[in-house]
Amino acid sequence: MSGPLILVLQGLSGALFGAGVFYLLGSLLVRHWIRIEIYPLALSMTVAFLVAIVCEVYLGKLYFLVFGEPLWQYRVWPIHDGYTSVLNFIIWPVYGYYVYFMHQVLHSRRLVIRPAWLKGVMSGIDGPLLEVLANGFFLLFYGTFYFYYLPDDMRHYTSLQVVPLYMVMGVILTLLLEYLLEKPPRWHYPAGFYMAGVGFVLAG
């Protein structure tokens, strides 16, 4: 088994790969380099980290209670009974990074989605696609699934069964971000959400 430093470096490489892909994709869609606003980006990344890691553990446990078996199992540095990974203090913020750039694309295209929670429902589509990207990266470069889905409907990279769980998580994330972005910028918000997420990881 790889040591903690090696695992962290693997997580960082995946995060940097994802960040580069999402920035280039967003810029391609709006046809110019997207100017990054640090506070909204930091808020999106840190809120996504806390919401996603808490939701995957408790929604995963709820799935187990209903169906009698887990839907997924983390294969790299698993914690919380395998429902998440220590490395998600690096990986999940990248999902918030993705959300930030997709919102920039929608704003640039003047696409207003109302009510706001509908943007969260879209996570049921993009979440599984991003899981395929994440698992593909880890399999290609490190020879292992990052997480492994027990159903084989999507070759264990993800599963259609996770779609409603992503929708729930996405709605919570979207509504919370909308609420916080309407408030005056205060750096204790992103700092607090990130530290709460790290605390949840350490509790695993």
Side-chain angles (χ1 to χ4, degrees):
M1 180 178 178
S2 301
L5 179 59
I6 297 299
L7 291 173
V8 169
L9 291 174
Q10 290 178 1
L12 284 172
S13 67
L16 290 172
F17 171 76
V21 168
F22 300 149
Y23 182 77
L24 291 174
L25 177 61
S27 297
L28 179 64
L29 291 173
V30 300
R31 298 182 182 178
H32 62 79
W33 297 114
I34 295 176
R35 186 173 69 87
I36 297 174
E37 297 179 60
I38 298 299
Y39 178 78
L41 175 60
L43 193 64
S44 182
M45 292 177 70
T46 56
V47 173
F49 168 38
L50 179 61
V51 170
I53 200 167
V54 171
C55 280
E56 73 176 343
V57 170
Y58 288 106
L59 291 177
K61 289 183 176 182
L62 177 61
Y63 181 95
F64 180 83
L65 287 174
V66 174
F67 295 101
E69 63 179 4
L71 180 56
W72 66 83
Q73 295 174 331
Y74 273 84
R75 294 291 176 86
V76 179
W77 210 344
I79 54 173
H80 287 288
D81 299 318
Y83 289 108
T84 191
S85 165
V86 173
L87 289 188
N88 279 343
F89 83 95
I90 300 171
I91 301 297
W92 271 126
V94 180
Y95 182 71
Y97 180 95
Y98 164 82
V99 169
Y100 172 83
F101 282 102
M102 288 303 98
H103 286 181
Q104 294 300 305
V105 170
L106 292 174
H107 178 74
S108 177
R109 296 290 186 179
R110 293 180 170 81
L111 297 174
V112 179
I113 299 176
R114 286 290 183 266
W117 59 264
L118 281 176
K119 286 190 287 187
V121 171
M122 292 169 58
S123 294
I125 300 171
D126 59 34
L129 292 176
L130 296 176
E131 289 190 328
V132 172
L133 180 66
N135 263 330
F137 177 87
F138 269 81
L139 281 166
L140 178 63
F141 289 99
Y142 303 118
T144 182
F145 280 89
Y146 183 51
F147 41 80
Y148 182 87
Y149 276 84
L150 274 67
D152 64 357
D153 56 321
M154 300 291 287
R155 297 184 178 273
H156 305 290
Y157 285 78
T158 185
S159 171
L160 294 176
Q161 295 181 47
V162 81
V163 169
L165 304 186
Y166 260 109
M167 288 180 176
V168 171
M169 184 271 288
V171 169
I172 295 171
L173 173 60
T174 298
L175 294 179
L176 188 53
L177 274 176
E178 291 266 331
Y179 172 75
L180 291 170
L181 287 170
E182 289 175 357
K183 291 182 168 293
R186 297 184 184 276
W187 281 97
H188 67 259
Y189 290 135
F193 276 96
Y194 190 75
M195 292 308 297
V198 169
F200 189 80
V201 169
L202 294 175

